[in-house]
Structure formats: C-alpha cells, structure tokens
Amino acid sequence: MVKHPSSEDTDAFTDMELVKKFKRLRLFEPSLFVLGVFLVSICLVGCFCYLNYKSWVIGFRFRSQSDRITWLNVDKTAEEKHDDFIGIKGDGCDVFDGDWVWDEHYPLYHSKDCRYLDMGFRCLENGRPDQFYTKWRWQPKGCNLPRFNATMMLEKLRNKRVAFVGDSIGRNQWESLLCMLSSEIPDENSIYEVNGSPITKHKGFLVFLFKDYNCTVEYYRAPFLVLQSRPPVGSNQKVRTTLKLDQMDWSSMKWRYADLLILNTGHWWNYEKTIRG
C-alpha cells in the first residue's frame, strides 16, 4: 500500500528545502571581497564630503555679502576704524600683525593669463579643482593696506632692481610678482628675459626686464644662501657636500647691489635637507 504525502507533509518538505537553500547562501559568512568593497565605499564617500565641504558651507551659510563678512570676522565697521597705511607717519602700524581675510575681488591675476609661470606652479592647470586659495588677502590689524596697483609699483621701481634669492618658495613669489606687474603692460614684448632664457626650472638665475620702466625683477636660486662646497679631504664617504656658513653663495656677486632684496631659505634648514645637500 502506497502512502501518498499529505498537504501538511508537502508544506513541511518545502519549508525544509527553503531553509537549506538559505543556508547555502552564507549571507553572514565573512568575505574579504565584501569587506573591501565596503571600506572603499566609505573612503569614497568620505573624500567626496571633504572636497565639497567648503563649497557646501559657502552655498548654505553665505547667502549674502554680510553673512560672508560675519563668518570671516571682518565687518565694515571694524575696517573703517583702521588707518590708511599710506597716511600713517612713522611706525604706527605693524603690517606683520594681522589675518588672512576673504576678498571677492581677488585674485589679482589668473594663472592661465600669465606666461611667466612655470608649469609646475600652475595649480589649476595641473588639476586642482577649487579656487578658494586665490580669494584671500592680508589684512593688518592696525591699518588698511592699499590695493595692489601695478602701474604705481612699476613707477616706484623705475630704474631699479628687485631680486628674489632662495629656494622654490621664493621662485613662486617671484613668478607671482611678474604676473601682477605684467597685468598692466599692454605690450608683452616689452617684458623679456635679458639672456633669452625661458621660464623653466633650473639651477641658475633669471632676469626679466620691464623695458618701459628700465627695471628688472630677478630670481637667483640659492637654497641655503651660503656657499655649498666639496667635502673636505679624508671626510666620510657619506658626506657629499659642505656648507660654508661664513661665505655667501656664488651668485651673491650678481644680486648684492640690488635695490630691493627678498631672501628665502628657511625651508632648507632641516636635517633631511642639509644631510642630502
């Protein structure tokens, strides 16, 4: 006699099959692949939030000019209390005591419009996505600095020499000044490197002449400012060079008589830089 399964037996069998199939899925079994995907997703979301934080803050909080000034802690009332730097007599204002403040009228130039920038210093052209870093200007606490005026500065530099001496930070400042000054020169051919050297990274010097004003803006690479020389005879083989602290760099003969001299070297005076020479 054959016993046919009842409907209750069939339902129980079906339920058991479902349980077995569910176990085979191993949904809760640890997987390195799943864990990796999860961690990568978290990192991507975190990077996205970080890169867009400033733009979100400005778009959400700075709905008006007054909101922006309040956030930067620079209100018009406080600004009006500052004396005009040009009108100050004596040493009444410490221009080094101040803060960086947001200014919608900045930058003074755009890198894409300046031919005096080395490709390595072109942040936007090299992929930097934001331009927030171009919107800040220096505001002394005790006075107001006049807005940069290229024509006025060139007049004050007429028949003079300006020399930047130091490392790549000084070079960056030198190139920036070239861009700022050249922005008011209609004839770009009146500005040129006196030796015909192109704007490129090298270990020499560059001298740009503003022909209409007979002034030069120069750069000399001397990371330590002092003379780098060969190691003494009999010194350890690891010593590749020495610094002679009582002698200036060889290029000093070229810039020592400049009318305005800007030195930059602090970044190089650390253990790793000096040990590599």
Side-chain angles (χ1 to χ4, degrees):
M1 179 177 181
V2 180
K3 182 180 180 181
H4 296 282
S6 63
S7 61
E8 294 181 356
D9 294 337
T10 303
D11 293 339
F13 178 78
T14 304
D15 292 340
M16 289 298 294
E17 287 295 323
L18 289 175
V19 170
K20 290 180 180 180
K21 290 181 179 180
F22 184 78
K23 287 182 177 180
R24 291 194 192 103
L25 293 177
R26 300 179 180 180
L27 293 178
F28 301 102
E29 183 175 333
S31 171
L32 292 177
F33 176 76
V34 174
L35 182 61
V37 171
F38 175 76
L39 293 176
V40 170
S41 301
I42 292 296
C43 291
L44 290 175
V45 172
C47 292
F48 177 80
C49 294
Y50 175 78
L51 291 174
N52 288 274
Y53 172 73
K54 287 187 177 180
S55 59
W56 177 84
V57 169
I58 291 178
F60 181 76
R61 296 182 63 183
F62 303 154
R63 299 184 183 276
S64 66
Q65 182 70 12
S66 59
D67 291 338
R68 183 181 296 107
I69 294 174
T70 301
W71 176 71
L72 292 168
N73 198 24
V74 179
D75 55 71
K76 293 183 179 180
T77 304
E79 187 174 343
E80 291 173 355
K81 293 180 180 178
H82 293 159
D83 295 323
D84 188 354
F85 178 76
I86 297 179
I88 291 178
K89 297 180 180 180
D91 55 352
C93 178
D94 183 3
V95 296
F96 299 102
D97 182 17
D99 299 290
W100 290 101
V101 299
W102 184 274
D103 193 329
E104 285 289 355
H105 298 95
Y106 272 52
L108 297 174
Y109 68 90
H110 295 279
S111 59
K112 63 181 178 63
D113 300 325
C114 182
R115 63 191 180 104
Y116 306 104
L117 288 178
D118 190 280
M119 193 58 202
F121 294 148
R122 295 178 179 271
C123 297
L124 296 178
E125 287 87 337
N126 282 310
R128 180 161 181 166
D130 69 286
Q131 297 188 40
F132 294 105
Y133 66 100
T134 67
K135 294 290 186 179
W136 300 91
R137 65 173 174 83
W138 182 252
Q139 173 63 58
K141 292 181 179 179
C143 62
N144 290 322
L145 292 175
R147 182 175 174 82
F148 179 82
N149 185 309
T151 303
M152 180 185 295
M153 185 170 184
L154 284 169
E155 283 293 348
K156 292 181 178 296
L157 294 177
R158 186 181 290 275
N159 301 320
K160 291 182 171 59
R161 296 175 58 200
V162 180
F164 289 79
V165 184
D167 55 19
S168 59
I169 296 177
R171 180 187 172 96
N172 203 327
Q173 296 169 346
W174 167 73
E175 292 185 3
S176 182
L177 182 60
L178 282 176
C179 293
M180 292 163 65
L181 293 176
S182 64
S183 62
E184 296 296 326
I185 304 296
D187 182 10
E188 63 177 24
N189 293 323
S190 66
I191 308 171
Y192 55 88
E193 211 285 325
V194 296
N195 297 308
S197 301
I199 286 283
T200 182
K201 288 187 176 181
H202 58 87
K203 296 185 178 181
F205 62 93
L206 292 166
V207 179
F208 273 82
L209 172 68
F210 287 75
K211 184 178 179 180
D212 295 338
Y213 296 88
N214 191 36
C215 71
T216 57
V217 182
E218 311 167 16
Y219 169 74
Y220 298 88
R221 187 181 186 277
F224 294 104
L225 296 184
V226 296
L227 185 64
Q228 298 183 61
S229 183
R230 296 178 180 178
V233 178
S235 60
N236 192 301
Q237 292 184 353
K238 293 182 179 180
V239 178
R240 293 180 296 176
T241 186
T242 57
L243 296 175
K244 295 185 177 182
L245 304 183
D246 59 342
Q247 298 183 42
M248 297 300 294
D249 186 83
W250 66 270
S251 63
S252 62
M253 296 299 296
K254 295 181 179 294
W255 48 259
R256 62 185 300 180
Y257 295 115
D259 298 284
L260 182 60
L261 192 59
I262 301 96
L263 304 177
N264 191 307
T265 185
H267 180 64
W268 280 72
W269 289 94
N270 60 63
Y271 177 78
E272 289 189 358
K273 292 284 187 180
T274 54
I275 200 68
R276 289 187 300 177

